[in-house]
Amino acid sequence: MQALHAIPWIVLFLPLFAAAGIALFTLKDRELSAKVSIGAVVIGFILTVIFIAASGWEPQRRELIVTWLEVGDLQVDFGLRLDALSLMMLLIVTGVGGAIHVYSYGYMHEDRSVARYFASLSLFTFSMLGIVLSNNLLQMFIFWELVGVSSYLLIGFWYEKPSAADACKKAFLTNRLGDFGFMLGILTVWSLLGSLNFSVLQDELFKNPAALGACATAAGLLIFCGAMGKSAQFPLHVWLPDAMEGPTPVSALIHAATMVAAGVYMLCRVFFLLSVPGSHALEVIGWIGGFTALLAALMAVQQNDIKRILAYSTLSQLGYMVLAVGVHAPTAAMFHLTTHAFFKAMLFLGAGSVIHALHHEQDIWQMGGLKKKLPVTHWTFLVGTLALCGVPPFSGFFSKDAILAAAVEHSVGLFVLAVAVSGLTTFYMFRLYYVAFLGGARTDAASHAHESPPVMVWPLRVLAVPSALAGFWGIEALFSGALGDGHGVQNLPFLEQLFAPINHAPLAALGGLIAVVFGFAFAREFYQNAALDPLPQRLGALARGMKNRFYFDEIYDFLIALTQEALARFAQFVDRWIIAGLLVRGAHGTTELFGRALRLVQTGNLQTYTFLFVLGVALLLIFVIGNGH
Amino acid sequence: MSLLTYIIGCPLLAGIFLLFVPANFRWASRLVALAATAVSMLLSVVLFLRFETGVAGYQFVQKVSWVAGLKISYHVGVDGVNLGLILMGAIVAFAAACVSWDIDRRQKEFYTLLLFMTGGILGAFASLDLFFFYFFHEFALVPTFIMIGVWGRGEQRNYATYQITLYLSLGALIALIGLIALYLQLPVDARTFDLVAITKHFKAYPMAVRAQTLIFPLLMFGFGILVSLWPFHTWAPLGYGAAPTATAMLHAGVLKKFGLYGLIRVALPLLPDGAVEWLNLLALLCLGNILYCGLVAMRQKNLNLLIGNSSVAHMGFVFLGIASLNLIGVTGAVLVMVAHGFLAALTFALSGYLYSQTRTLEIDELGGLLRPLPFIGSALVMAMMAGCGLPGFANFAGEAMVLFGAWKVYQTVTVLACWGALIIGAVYMLRAIRNILHGPLAEKHAALADAGWWRRVPFVLLLAALLIFGCFPGLLTRKITPSVAALLKPATKAVAAQTAEAPTAALAVRAR
């Protein structure tokens, strides 16, 4: 039993040791570094499977705790929380992450800094596992920050490229903005409830739901700020598309299975805190999620870079998950997070395979006819597209339907929004599919493309299986049990499961399907064998807005220049001219002036001294005698 | 003899020894300095390991009477508060001796001053006698001025020396007036310089509240100036920009902490009512450090000025922790002091290395240096990340505790401090990385040499210290907490007394 409890610790720390080992010892050895890093995550996956097989999804000991810091009434544990929620995430991070590690071995083979790449990748995996396993808010914050910095290292991997160097800085700072709120949220919760531990907090709120008092909404929203940063929700969504500057496997890792999922995972972990009676946090969260989903889907429609389309699609799907949390359905959110991790990782890796085959060409209008040249990439990409659009019986259909069904119950507005986004999703994904994979090759590179090596193709095949079938594996029921919501979801046999959505909430299922059909029809109409994008002409200014991300970056730059930068300039001015200049140099100058004035008196001339002396005596005499009268 | 005496004595004796070594034995002076600081460092590690955790009193005490009539004695000892500082000071001193390889003239004089400075700093932290406490500080301060003046760099060197000398002397003078006033509050027959005895006396017979409220600001501003309390901070970036690397490391890292240490060791326990009265102001002034100096750092175009301003900004967290006047906040403040000592030393050492290679620290002229300098570049990235509060480095643990402690007392201030810690700090640190290490490499810098194995020692040492105390802050906090609790006891009473009065005042306001 003791050995069993060591397993989660090993799973957590293996990648850290791998990262440290590579950084300290094997930086020169490319092969060995890659193997160490891949080995760490794959062993982690196997150990996780063993642990779940041995102790089940709900182990008897739910927490393994070591005290990290204890001062007065501030106690911070370093603990591992083990339940279905964290164990499932553990599987996703090590499993999908493992596939991406293997794929990276092929994709990054030519790069001169392979060792640094794998060290960062392992550090990232460690940080993400830390978030997943955290049993308290501050520990989560710690790993939250570590994910921030390791994503910084990965996005800026090609740091000599100015665009990559800017992108990693932007990602880190935008995340920090969210963390600012998160930290304040942690402080609020700690000062009101006296603990940081999730289960203690949950018990506390269960006993006294009004313990947060008037701060309930504020505390919930402050913590949500953290998720807003990591999961790139409006208005902090701007970092994610830029983060495509990193190598493509990195995009697959941080934009599918891990980093961006952290925000949603955290919301589900602290759902008990968000849903206390009297808190309006969930309403705000739901609408922010919905708005992000719509905004990002609109932006995706007019992107031409294959990775950017997927990036905006990630944003949009994250909006979906956050929306699900907002409509009191954390189970649906986690379910969609899981399926999305599979198919989005696969789509990114597929895009990487395309980019690799076309010698770093990313513009879809420079592609075309890749169906025949890259057969495996093509069919896996198609599976991913169908899953993302929510076509039955692919996994995305079930998870998206769960969200739509929850939305119907809570808010008609959000439901309509979600259906519209579903239509847009199908439209932009098939736009991508038609332009890049069908039709004729538009360039030489596209007509001479070759399928990627097996080390890159196999991860695609492996990920295609859960992307297609994960809807039938009872994942939703598992989360439902762990989170205690989800409307009595059960694990059903294949055929029943296939039709369960329609039986359960026909309006939601039909709405989603109709949206898919419309989206597909429009995409086929506009882009089958299209030589040019017809939308800019038809939509005019709207299309320009979509293409330019509705000018958010420009607006933010303007606002930052107007506020923080202006303040900094002002402070610098005061420091230089008023404090250092006027006051310090002023005091210095005045002293010096006095000194010079006094120096004039010391002439060294004996006559002058005598004269002054006599003058003084005379004045004194006049004064004394004058007063005498 | 106490281990502490060896730790302090080693660099001092070595310094005196160096005076008799002929100046043309250049390597001898460097070797002596390295050996003496290394011994001091190893002994302080032994001290740290042998320190009994969880006990409040002083350990490794040694007391030798010096001027019996005035009751001045050589009295040293450590508790949780100065233990970490002595360890940090000794490690930084060794690192500073290591990085001084680029001093190319008057080596003997340089290393002598370095050793005196080291001995003075460690002595100031270890002394439990007010006379030696002050004397050792001044003894360390004088070499600072000389080193900046003689071995400094840049056009503003003379002005910087001038300013730092005046400012620090002024601060020390104000603090001295405060200390003398404090001494005079003792009844004539109980007059002593022994801090332990003074503390005991004032615990039994607290000083009049009026006297406390008059003396506390003298100490607060006197010590505050020594720590670059806003708005008395302009000497710091300028001085560090002009100072030779080792001096900047020792002063910004170690000597500067003397003022903070004085506040915690002398002002808080002896003047609790004064503290309650004045610390609200300190909490406001610390925002000047955190926000204002952070913003100023954002605009700097020279790496050393940026680091200097950021170092001033970090002092704000210590002030905030002290101002919170509770166990979490003050323990956090002590932790930040230790962490920042390592960090400041590390960043100045790195910028010194860059300067020795590129001969400039103007950020616009640098760029892409991570490629030719993988080790130094990575170390700089880590230092910058530690500086913007990345978990895993000791600064995070300390700053987080300060925020937790301060949140109980000053919520608005804490929100703004959080902004400073998480956003402003990150902005200037990442900008520096972006402009110095990332981006395309200028051709003239393509042939820069990365640090060889021996040159890496000081950097590795400082990084390791930051990481160890960052990952296991309990190593320090378990030692700090009991001592801080004992020091805070009078102040806690004073706070309780004040809050007992406060409800009536609040009611009066509401009634109006």
Side-chain angles (χ1 to χ4, degrees):
Chain A
M1 213 51 198
Q2 275 307 316
L4 197 62
H5 286 141
I7 288 182
W9 293 106
I10 298 175
V11 174
L12 172 61
F13 281 105
L14 262 184
L16 178 66
F17 290 142
I22 295 172
L24 293 177
F25 303 114
T26 69
L27 265 184
K28 298 262 152 59
D29 191 335
R30 305 151 55 96
E31 288 289 314
L32 186 62
S33 305
K35 280 173 190 156
V36 167
S37 172
I38 295 171
V41 66
V42 171
I43 293 172
F45 178 70
I46 296 169
L47 285 176
T48 311
V49 172
I50 293 174
F51 182 78
I52 294 169
S55 67
W57 288 99
E58 298 285 343
Q60 286 178 338
R61 266 183 72 182
R62 286 170 65 211
E63 289 184 34
L64 309 174
I65 296 178
V66 179
T67 300
W68 184 65
L69 190 64
E70 193 175 13
V71 179
D73 48 356
L74 174 69
Q75 172 160 4
V76 186
D77 296 326
F78 191 92
L80 306 186
R81 166 84 178 235
L82 302 170
D83 56 10
L85 198 60
S86 60
L87 289 175
M88 189 67 210
M89 280 299 286
L90 216 56
L91 275 185
I92 297 171
V93 175
T94 53
V96 178
I100 294 167
H101 274 68
V102 173
Y103 177 96
S104 299
Y105 182 76
Y107 191 88
M108 300 298 291
H109 209 70
E110 306 294 314
D111 201 281
R112 59 173 158 174
S113 309
V114 175
R116 178 164 60 89
Y117 173 82
F118 275 104
S120 316
L121 214 55
S122 282
L123 182 67
F124 183 91
T125 309
F126 164 69
S127 323
M128 189 62 207
L129 290 173
I131 291 187
V132 169
L133 288 168
S134 290
N135 78 333
N136 67 71
L137 277 169
L138 196 68
Q139 186 188 346
M140 189 177 256
F141 182 83
I142 288 173
F143 283 104
W144 202 257
E145 291 288 306
L146 289 180
V147 163
V149 76
S150 42
S151 68
Y152 172 80
L153 296 177
L154 285 170
I155 295 168
F157 180 70
W158 287 315
Y159 56 80
E160 277 159 326
K161 245 173 48 185
S163 56
D166 289 334
C168 65
K169 186 175 124 213
K170 182 170 172 183
F172 192 84
L173 288 180
T174 317
N175 269 297
R176 266 292 168 96
L177 216 55
D179 298 347
F180 168 65
F182 191 14
M183 188 72 206
L184 295 182
I186 293 175
L187 289 171
T188 312
V189 170
W190 173 74
S191 63
L192 291 175
L193 299 180
S195 175
L196 293 165
N197 186 296
F198 292 130
S199 35
V200 175
L201 290 175
Q202 193 162 8
D203 292 346
E204 205 68 32
L205 279 176
F206 184 73
K207 269 186 277 175
N208 178 14
L212 284 172
C215 294
T217 308
L221 287 180
L222 282 172
I223 288 184
F224 173 62
C225 281
M228 229 170 212
K230 280 278 175 295
S231 287
Q233 295 301 297
F234 171 83
L236 301 183
H237 62 279
V238 287
W239 67 268
L240 196 143
D242 287 33
M244 293 299 131
E245 289 294 338
T248 306
V250 169
S251 310
L253 188 64
I254 65 183
H255 299 140
T258 52
M259 177 168 174
V260 294
V264 178
Y265 172 77
M266 185 264 270
L267 290 181
C268 295
R269 186 49 93 200
V270 300
F271 188 72
F272 63 89
L273 234 165
L274 305 173
S275 59
V276 289
S279 165
H280 299 285
L282 283 179
E283 291 160 34
V284 180
I285 292 173
W287 278 101
I288 286 189
F291 185 66
T292 309
L294 181 67
L295 196 70
L298 285 173
M299 292 175 186
V301 167
Q302 275 298 295
Q303 301 301 317
N304 294 328
D305 181 318
I306 184 168
K307 277 176 77 181
R308 288 205 176 238
I309 299 175
L310 293 177
Y312 284 102
S313 144
T314 301
L315 266 182
S316 172
Q317 298 303 309
L318 288 166
Y320 249 94
M321 298 174 209
V322 171
L323 183 155
V325 174
V327 293
H328 298 258
T331 297
M334 282 307 295
F335 186 28
H336 196 54
L337 189 161
T338 313
T339 59
H340 178 258
F342 297 134
F343 59 69
K344 188 52 71 63
M346 187 177 67
L347 285 171
F348 267 117
L349 295 185
S353 173
V354 169
I355 295 167
H356 191 75
L358 298 184
H359 308 292
H360 295 275
E361 178 59 62
Q362 304 198 2
D363 188 345
I364 56 171
W365 295 96
Q366 304 293 322
M367 298 175 185
L370 297 177
K371 182 180 171 185
K372 293 204 186 71
K373 308 285 178 195
L374 311 171
V376 184
T377 307
H378 163 256
W379 74 256
T380 50
F381 203 91
L382 186 59
V383 168
T385 305
L386 291 172
L388 174 58
C389 299
V391 177
F394 294 95
S395 60
F397 166 67
F398 296 99
S399 53
K400 200 173 269 191
D401 180 73
I403 296 177
L404 290 177
V408 167
E409 280 179 30
H410 276 88
S411 160
V412 179
L414 283 175
F415 172 69
V416 175
L417 201 67
V419 170
V421 172
S422 177
L424 280 170
T425 308
T426 318
F427 177 73
Y428 67 70
M429 279 314 289
F430 275 96
R431 167 177 179 262
L432 163 62
Y433 177 72
Y434 272 116
V435 173
F437 285 94
L438 301 184
R442 292 190 182 78
T443 56
D444 272 358
S447 56
H448 293 115
H450 291 289
E451 185 62 287
S452 302
V455 69
M456 289 169 65
V457 170
W458 271 105
L460 290 175
R461 289 193 176 117
V462 170
L463 284 171
V465 177
S467 302
L469 300 176
F472 299 100
W473 294 349
I475 295 171
E476 194 182 10
L478 195 66
F479 284 134
S480 172
L483 289 161
D485 77 324
H487 329 288
V489 184
Q490 285 158 357
N491 201 3
L492 300 169
F494 184 80
L495 266 185
E496 276 181 56
Q497 173 69 16
L498 184 57
F499 291 106
I502 295 176
N503 294 334
H504 171 62
L507 179 62
L510 286 178
L513 286 177
I514 291 169
V516 169
V517 171
F518 268 93
F520 176 71
F522 276 111
R524 189 185 155 90
E525 170 69 24
F526 288 148
Y527 294 105
Q528 197 180 27
N529 295 321
L532 278 173
D533 195 342
L535 276 191
Q537 279 190 342
R538 286 172 182 249
L539 295 178
L542 181 61
R544 267 203 305 284
M546 291 171 173
K547 195 175 184 112
N548 293 308
R549 318 144 160 216
F550 296 112
Y551 303 99
F552 273 109
D553 291 271
E554 286 77 6
I555 296 170
Y556 285 179
D557 282 347
F558 177 71
L559 283 180
I560 292 168
L562 210 63
T563 52
Q564 181 150 303
E565 288 300 318
L567 266 179
R569 221 168 270 141
F570 175 71
Q572 163 73 357
F573 173 81
V574 170
D575 208 52
R576 187 155 185 188
W577 298 110
I578 302 203
I579 295 187
L582 210 64
L583 298 183
V584 178
R585 287 217 191 215
H588 164 193
T590 324
T591 321
E592 191 153 313
L593 210 66
F594 263 108
R596 278 171 199 254
L598 287 176
R599 197 164 69 191
L600 290 181
V601 181
Q602 297 180 332
T603 55
N605 186 329
L606 212 61
Q607 282 100 327
T608 317
Y609 287 162
T610 325
F611 169 72
L612 286 173
F613 178 70
V614 172
L615 193 71
V617 171
L619 281 174
L620 257 174
L621 276 176
I622 293 170
F623 184 71
V624 173
I625 297 168
N627 266 6
H629 283 284
Chain B
M1 275 220 283
S2 162
L3 197 52
L4 280 169
T5 306
Y6 291 106
I7 295 175
I8 306 164
C10 196
L12 288 179
L13 284 178
I16 294 170
F17 171 74
L18 266 194
L19 289 176
F20 299 101
V21 173
N24 49 0
F25 286 19
R26 288 185 187 165
W27 280 103
S29 53
R30 177 163 168 77
L31 270 183
V32 169
L34 278 176
T37 47
V39 170
S40 217
M41 173 177 76
L42 291 177
L43 290 178
S44 68
V45 172
V46 173
L47 180 84
F48 185 81
L49 294 177
R50 281 177 37 193
F51 184 88
E52 198 179 332
T53 306
V55 186
Y58 294 104
Q59 303 178 26
F60 300 96
V61 179
Q62 183 181 6
K63 191 170 175 181
V64 181
S65 181
W66 188 49
V67 182
L70 285 171
K71 290 199 185 148
I72 299 177
S73 54
Y74 170 80
H75 185 181
V76 289
V78 280
D79 67 351
V81 177
N82 55 359
L83 177 71
L85 291 172
I86 289 173
L87 177 72
M88 180 271 284
I91 294 178
V92 169
F94 175 68
C98 286
V99 301
S100 298
W101 48 269
D102 59 344
I103 295 294
D104 49 7
R105 58 201 172 88
R106 294 171 179 258
Q107 280 98 337
K108 174 186 149 179
E109 288 82 356
F110 183 86
Y111 285 110
T112 313
L113 289 173
L114 186 86
L115 286 169
F116 284 152
M117 193 176 168
T118 306
I121 295 169
L122 296 174
F125 285 140
S127 290
L128 296 177
D129 181 280
L130 276 185
F131 177 83
F132 277 99
F133 172 76
Y134 192 83
F135 167 77
F136 271 127
H137 174 251
E138 290 293 300
F139 189 75
L141 209 49
V142 175
T144 317
F145 306 145
I146 304 175
M147 282 158 102
I148 299 177
V150 177
W151 291 273
R153 58 192 179 213
E155 294 153 18
Q156 290 196 302
R157 183 175 76 194
N158 287 332
Y159 180 65
T161 316
Y162 198 74
Q163 204 182 355
I164 198 172
T165 313
L166 282 182
Y167 247 124
L168 295 186
S169 309
L170 180 71
L173 191 70
I174 297 176
L176 181 65
I177 297 173
L179 290 177
I180 292 174
L182 197 148
Y183 176 78
L184 292 177
Q185 287 294 316
L186 290 163
V188 180
D189 53 333
R191 277 190 190 157
T192 167
F193 283 90
D194 191 279
L195 197 54
V196 180
I198 297 177
T199 312
K200 203 178 275 172
H201 176 86
F202 281 126
K203 203 171 203 176
Y205 315 97
M207 199 190 297
V209 175
R210 200 178 141 65
Q212 289 194 28
T213 41
L214 285 177
I215 298 174
F216 192 86
L218 288 173
L219 293 185
M220 183 170 110
F221 285 106
F223 284 137
I225 290 174
L226 296 180
V227 198
S228 61
L229 174 65
W230 189 87
F232 310 104
H233 64 278
T234 48
W235 60 268
L238 206 63
Y240 297 148
T245 306
T247 315
M249 287 169 71
L250 273 173
H251 193 277
V254 197
L255 190 54
K256 203 175 171 186
K257 306 295 179 296
F258 172 80
L260 300 164
Y261 174 68
L263 277 180
I264 295 177
R265 173 70 82 211
V266 180
L268 291 191
L270 300 188
L271 310 162
D273 295 301
V276 173
E277 197 79 8
W278 281 93
L279 285 181
N280 293 325
L281 177 64
L282 188 66
L284 285 181
L285 290 180
C286 86
L287 285 182
N289 283 69
I290 298 174
L291 290 182
Y292 172 93
C293 292
L295 289 169
V296 173
M298 276 170 60
R299 301 290 307 167
Q300 296 309 314
K301 295 188 169 66
N302 179 296
L303 178 62
N304 254 3
L305 289 181
L306 186 149
I307 300 173
N309 274 299
S310 109
S311 146
V312 174
H314 278 112
M315 290 304 98
F317 293 102
V318 186
F319 286 126
L320 181 59
I322 293 176
S324 71
L325 212 58
N326 56 38
L327 187 60
I328 304 175
V330 179
T331 308
V334 176
L335 191 53
V336 176
M337 281 158 71
V338 176
H340 180 263
F342 289 124
L343 176 67
L346 177 64
T347 37
F348 279 116
L350 287 166
S351 86
Y353 188 90
L354 282 186
Y355 184 79
S356 75
Q357 292 292 312
T358 60
R359 287 287 139 197
T360 178
L361 287 174
E362 293 302 316
I363 293 174
D364 290 345
E365 294 177 29
L366 304 170
L369 294 186
L370 202 52
R371 184 64 71 194
L373 306 173
F375 174 79
I376 291 293
S378 311
L380 189 59
V381 171
M382 289 168 86
M384 292 293 187
M385 284 294 170
C388 59
L390 185 76
F393 296 101
N395 303 66
F396 169 80
E399 281 166 24
M401 282 166 68
V402 166
L403 293 176
F404 273 94
W407 180 257
K408 293 183 161 186
V409 198
Y410 311 103
Q411 294 197 343
T412 317
V413 172
T414 313
V415 171
L416 293 171
C418 232
W419 181 267
L422 287 170
I423 314 281
I424 297 178
V427 169
Y428 61 75
M429 292 297 191
L430 291 197
R431 259 185 209 169
I433 297 178
R434 166 70 184 84
N435 293 330
I436 295 171
L437 300 172
H438 289 176
L441 176 68
E443 217 158 88
K444 60 181 173 184
H445 292 146
L448 296 186
D450 202 8
W453 287 105
W454 284 111
R455 297 269 156 86
R456 292 184 188 185
V457 170
F459 305 112
V460 171
L461 208 62
L462 294 169
L463 272 175
L466 277 175
L467 282 169
I468 289 172
F469 290 126
C471 294
F472 308 102
L475 286 179
L476 269 174
T477 54
R478 270 198 299 276
K479 294 178 165 64
I480 299 172
T481 317
S483 308
V484 167
L487 288 177
L488 278 183
K489 211 173 267 167
T492 321
K493 265 186 220 153
V495 171
Q498 204 197 34
T499 40
E501 284 167 26
T504 44
L507 278 181
V509 171
R510 221 169 280 158
R512 217 185 323 147

